[in-house]
Amino acid sequence: MHRRWLFISAAAAVIVASLIVVLLPDRDADAGPAPATPVAGSRANRPPATASPPATPRPTDTSAKPSAEEAPPKASASAKPSATQTSRSASGTAPLADRIRPGATYRGVATFYDSDGSGACLYDPSSDVLTGAMNHTDYESAKACGAYVLVRADNGAAITVRITNECPGECAPGQIDLSAEAFAKLAAPSAGRIPIAWQLVSPSSAGTLSIRYKTGSSRYWCGIQAMGHRNPVARLEVRTSGGWRQLPRTEYNYFISEDGSGCGGAIRVTDIFGEQLTVTGIALRPDAVQATRVQFAIH
């Protein structure tokens, strides 16, 4: 009986001690909860996912006709092209001219060929038969396209022609291959080849500037051509979200935006004298000649 009592007392003591331990406060409670340690392979240990930008759709064939969904909006009566003129060179110098410079006289020979006004500059055939093909050197990767040149023969006859084509490699520097009609105003066709002197001019009879988007142009890629300009074009720019962007010029006389930036927006054309024509309201309509109301100044 005595042993049984001792056993019960010991058991009671153990239970009381356990209760005291449970009820005592944690000595580390003031330090706050310990930070969780990531386990290898858990979400917390992985780098944050980076969202990939959506793929930019590109046409499979830039020469294809735009679909109904991608077709550029047609110009409406309320969206006619408008333009402003700025930065006219008061001194009359041509800081942006390259090989062909105003006031300089160039010497060479004139030959002739049957021309309809079209050619390497990719202008349309025209009723203007007084045209010429500039030799490869002075053509200078289409910088001579659209330039007006006064050509004089040794006999005193003179004629102003517009450069619409390039004379290939057999034409020497200084040589102009004239249309048959232009050559006939300088000498008899039987002469075939005559010495000439020529210089750049800025005629008063020029109309107004026009703009054309190349066939296949869209918001993904476009080619832009300036036409009917009185003075040679030195550069063409388009307005983008980052400002004005100068486009590179091809040998076929179009300025190209390879990624489509600026296509369908404002266009700024600068001549060799530094005068700028800013044109807005030109629709992104391939192979359509869109007239403006402005022209470069006479020099």
Side-chain angles (χ1 to χ4, degrees):
M1 183 71 177
H2 181 70
R3 290 180 180 177
R4 185 179 180 181
W5 173 252
L6 290 176
F7 176 78
I8 294 173
S9 299
V14 170
I15 292 172
V16 171
S18 300
L19 291 173
I20 292 173
V21 171
V22 170
L23 294 175
L24 284 175
D26 188 356
R27 63 182 177 181
D28 293 329
D30 292 341
T37 302
V39 179
S42 69
R43 184 183 297 272
N45 199 44
R46 294 173 186 169
T50 302
S52 300
T56 302
R58 294 190 62 85
T60 56
D61 182 2
T62 56
S63 64
K65 184 178 181 180
S67 65
E69 182 182 352
E70 296 180 357
K74 294 183 179 181
S76 62
S78 60
K80 292 182 178 179
S82 60
T84 57
Q85 296 179 245
T86 57
S87 302
R88 181 174 299 173
S89 175
S91 65
T93 59
L96 301 180
D98 288 313
R99 283 189 59 85
I100 302 177
R101 307 187 67 84
T105 299
Y106 302 84
R107 298 188 180 278
V109 298
T111 50
F112 68 92
Y113 73 112
D114 292 328
S115 171
D116 61 1
S118 62
C121 296
L122 290 194
Y123 296 137
D124 293 331
S126 170
S127 58
D128 176 13
V129 295
L130 300 181
T131 60
M134 186 62 72
N135 67 84
H136 174 76
T137 300
D138 295 320
Y139 181 78
E140 200 176 6
S141 298
K143 292 179 182 179
C145 285
Y148 288 90
V149 173
L150 175 64
V151 183
R152 297 183 183 276
D154 286 351
N155 60 10
I159 185 66
T160 297
V161 298
R162 184 169 63 99
I163 301 302
T164 62
N165 203 356
E166 176 186 14
C167 186
E170 62 266 21
C171 283
Q175 182 174 350
I176 301 179
D177 202 18
L178 299 172
S179 65
E181 293 84 355
F183 187 93
K185 292 184 178 294
L186 299 178
S190 58
R193 182 184 182 97
I194 60 172
I196 57 169
W198 56 271
Q199 62 186 102
L200 185 69
V201 293
S202 181
S204 60
S205 58
T208 57
L209 183 78
S210 294
I211 297 293
R212 174 165 60 185
Y213 278 99
K214 196 177 188 308
T215 301
S217 292
S218 70
R219 63 177 180 268
Y220 304 112
W221 176 96
C222 68
I224 306 174
Q225 183 183 60
M227 309 168 66
H229 41 88
R230 173 180 280 124
N231 306 317
V233 170
R235 59 175 177 246
L236 186 146
E237 302 162 278
V238 292
R239 182 180 288 154
T240 68
S241 58
W244 288 105
R245 175 188 174 189
Q246 183 174 345
L247 300 183
R249 190 178 200 164
T250 66
E251 291 191 355
Y252 54 86
N253 195 34
Y254 272 87
F255 296 83
I256 304 298
S257 175
E258 289 286 356
D259 59 2
S261 61
C263 297
I267 299 169
R268 186 164 69 184
V269 187
T270 306
D271 71 1
I272 61 173
F273 297 97
E275 183 178 1
Q276 296 177 337
L277 305 178
T278 302
V279 184
T280 58
I282 298 294
L284 211 172
R285 187 186 304 154
D287 205 29
V289 177
Q290 301 181 62
T292 71
R293 301 177 181 178
V294 292
Q295 180 59 274
F296 293 119
I298 300 173
H299 289 270

